[in-house]
Amino acid sequence: MGALVRSGAAAVGILLLWSLVGESATGMLPRVGGALAGWMPFTAVGGIVDPDAGSRVPYGAAGQVAYAIVAGLALLALGMAAGRRRDP
């Protein structure tokens, strides 16, 4: 996230805002909120510690860890692409 916004404080703020507000607000969307809320990255990671967290990622804790790694790698790839385009 820091590579995308180029500020450490902004990156921490965005991640905190997303984990505390964004994922909760997604669950409130009509018709699709319940299905999407279980696939949010922080909810999936929370499902590793608390199985009743509402994660919909299959294969239990191993699937949730793999999903969190894939989400992190996707964010890393976005940051690297943005950095490469911004700083040739």
Side-chain angles (χ1 to χ4, degrees):
M1 183 57 73
L4 284 174
V5 296
R6 298 195 115 183
S7 169
V12 170
I14 289 169
L15 287 175
L16 282 173
L17 197 66
W18 177 254
S19 68
L20 297 173
V21 177
E23 290 192 1
S24 300
T26 303
M28 294 180 205
L29 293 172
R31 284 191 254 160
V32 296
L36 286 177
W39 286 94
M40 293 291 140
F42 288 104
T43 303
V45 172
I48 296 168
V49 178
D50 181 19
D52 297 327
S55 176
R56 297 176 146 261
V57 179
Y59 305 116
Q64 292 166 345
V65 169
Y67 181 73
I69 290 171
V70 168
L73 288 175
L75 192 60
L76 176 66
L78 284 172
M80 289 175 68
R84 196 176 287 217
R85 192 166 39 142
R86 198 172 20 222
D87 301 327

